[in-house]
Amino acid sequence: MTKTQSLVALIVCIATILLAVLDMNIVSAATVPIARDLDPAHGVDKIPWLISAFALASAAALPLYGKLCDSLGAKKVFVGAVASFLLGSALCGAAQSMTELIAARALQGLGGGGLMSVTLVVLAQLSTPGGKGGGKASGVGGIVAGTAMAVGPWIGGTLADHANWRWIFYINLPLGIAALIGALLVLKLPVSPARHRIDYLGAALAAAFTSSLLLATSWGGKQYAWASPEIIGLLVACVLSLALFLRRQTTAAEPVLPLSMFKVPQLRYGFAIQGLLGAAMMGALVYVMIYLQEVRGIEPAAAGLYLIPMAIGMTAVGLGASRLAARGWRTKSFTVTGTVTAALGLALLATLSTTTSLWLIRAALLVMGCGFGLLMGQLIPYVQNAAPAHQLGIATTSIRFFQTLGNALGAAVFGTLLSRVYEAKVPGGSTSALIHLTGAARDSAVHGFVTAMDVVFMVAAGVMAVAAVLAVRLPADTEPEPTPAGSEPVSA
């Protein structure tokens, strides 16, 4: 590829990452207007499915995407993922019922999971023919992803307030089509000439495990009690499918998630830290928004603006990290510093009260953003460089897979913790009824709610402290293992 082609390809990759992360967050601020428009009578009851459909499809497809990249080449998989995402976006915008919208969101999620993960594989392969050394490009992708995650709710709230909600989906089309055309015209990526077998059974078991886990953690304690037959059934299915998946990975000729990867300490610790990062980041984004809206009475679109300091911190520190890396800083230094800084930002949020200065909240989010900015662009290239060249796709999608699981478990654990602490402080109370209270009853409930949220943020800070301990154990950066004989890539 020429320098011009490489630049165009980089822009295409940044655009697709932006699309993927924005779409995961932009809908969250507009779910109620969407539900009321499509189904005024029962639409709100279907909101959990609207949110879950994208996440379920995206997470379930991740293990398969990695193997397909290593087998068919990243370009073909990338083009397929973008096309699926665009088709799903068009169908979402044209949906005439909640059922149609949920189905279209699932299709969009299948492509969305590939947009983020496969794009990171493409970024790595753009750097060198062997697909390694993509730290700088992947770092930029991580910064863009984190920034989009922070500003997505504000964009969604603004579109819902000042335009038709369908534009949340239609806005994807021009940028996505441009990215698709650019990929078809300029991308030339390596493809292994060796024939590979796809472990579809393993991918199906991974999808079953992921789906049952996400549904159980999303519904447990909310739509259904944790001891209900529905949640118990999902947890049993989760354990059973995980056991069958692990057994399959030990017997399949070419597993979708080779267990041998966990013998590599860089991969093992990288996956774990990324999962903890996903859990803590989910808690930060979701519960800061809840605090601002429920306790301080700030409108959704205005509340989204409070995440801008976090986005600024992530972007500024992420860009500065590349200069520090050029001066000799290693991944371990960035990761230790980032986890400690993020833990400090979360600990600051654990001091919130009903009268805390809003500028203190912005400052805490800025500190937290600086910590996340040091992490977002480091762990993915670190894992890519440690993985064998013929498993680049699997390693890249695996770290995204563990982040997704961290998001799900974090949301479930923090949600349950919030409810339990609140009920202990306000006996017989429910967080769902907070909005309907007035007078002294509301003052008491708000005080209990803030106390519960402080516990949530402190636990999230503890999660990042655990990540910091793991970061201290990270091995030094190493050169990747060579591609096995007979698997030399060819350009496609």
Side-chain angles (χ1 to χ4, degrees), residues 115-324:
L115 288 192
M116 186 65 186
S117 56
V118 178
T119 303
L120 294 174
V121 180
V122 174
L123 282 171
Q125 293 187 340
L126 284 174
S127 298
T128 63
K132 299 292 183 172
K136 185 175 181 180
S138 295
V140 173
I143 295 167
V144 172
T147 304
M149 190 178 296
V151 301
W154 170 74
I155 296 176
T158 301
L159 287 174
D161 289 344
H162 303 290
N164 190 294
W165 62 263
R166 296 180 187 275
W167 283 102
I168 291 176
F169 302 105
Y170 286 146
I171 200 173
N172 296 330
L173 299 182
L175 186 58
I177 290 172
L180 184 62
I181 294 173
L184 289 170
L185 293 178
V186 305
L187 275 185
K188 296 179 182 179
L189 301 176
V191 178
S192 172
R195 297 186 64 181
H196 294 273
R197 297 173 60 184
I198 306 297
D199 181 19
Y200 290 107
L201 177 58
L205 290 170
F209 162 70
T210 306
S211 299
S212 55
L213 176 64
L214 289 177
L215 288 175
T217 53
S218 297
W219 291 349
K222 302 177 184 71
Q223 277 71 36
Y224 304 99
W226 282 106
S228 66
E230 291 84 357
I231 300 301
I232 292 176
L234 285 171
L235 292 175
V236 169
C238 178
V239 173
L240 181 60
S241 57
L242 176 60
L244 292 174
F245 172 74
L246 293 175
R247 178 176 176 79
R248 175 64 182 177
Q249 299 314 287
T250 62
T251 59
E254 296 191 38
V256 293
L257 182 61
L259 300 184
S260 60
M261 289 200 304
F262 294 92
K263 297 179 181 179
V264 181
Q266 289 91 339
L267 303 186
R268 184 169 65 246
Y269 286 114
F271 293 158
I273 295 172
Q274 192 78 2
L276 294 172
L277 170 62
M281 199 168 191
M282 173 62 70
L285 292 174
V286 171
Y287 291 100
V288 166
M289 290 295 97
I290 292 175
Y291 168 83
L292 291 172
Q293 294 177 51
E294 293 288 345
V295 178
R296 308 304 290 266
I298 299 173
E299 293 297 321
L305 293 174
Y306 282 79
L307 294 179
I308 290 179
M310 180 177 171
I312 292 173
M314 294 177 73
T315 304
V317 171
L319 294 175
S322 62
R323 295 191 176 186
L324 291 175

Side-chain angles (χ1 to χ4, degrees), residues 2-3 10 40 81 145 150 156 159 204 209 281 287 290 327 331 339-340 362 414 420 453 478 480 487:
T2 65
K3 289 184 178 180
L10 177 61
L159 287 174
F209 162 70
M281 199 168 191
Y287 291 100
I290 292 175
R327 296 182 180 181
T331 298
T339 49
V340 171
R362 293 185 179 98
F414 293 144
R420 294 292 180 267
M453 295 205 71
T478 59
S487 298

Side-chain angles (χ1 to χ4, degrees), residues 361-373:
I361 297 173
R362 293 185 179 98
L365 289 171
L366 177 64
V367 172
M368 194 164 55
C370 291
F372 288 147

Side-chain angles (χ1 to χ4, degrees), residues 73-86 115 118 122 179-181 183-185 187:
K75 178 178 178 177
K76 292 180 181 178
V77 183
F78 179 84
V79 169
V82 174
S84 174
F85 178 81
L86 290 177
L115 288 192
V118 178
V122 174
L180 184 62
I181 294 173
L184 289 170
L185 293 178
L187 275 185

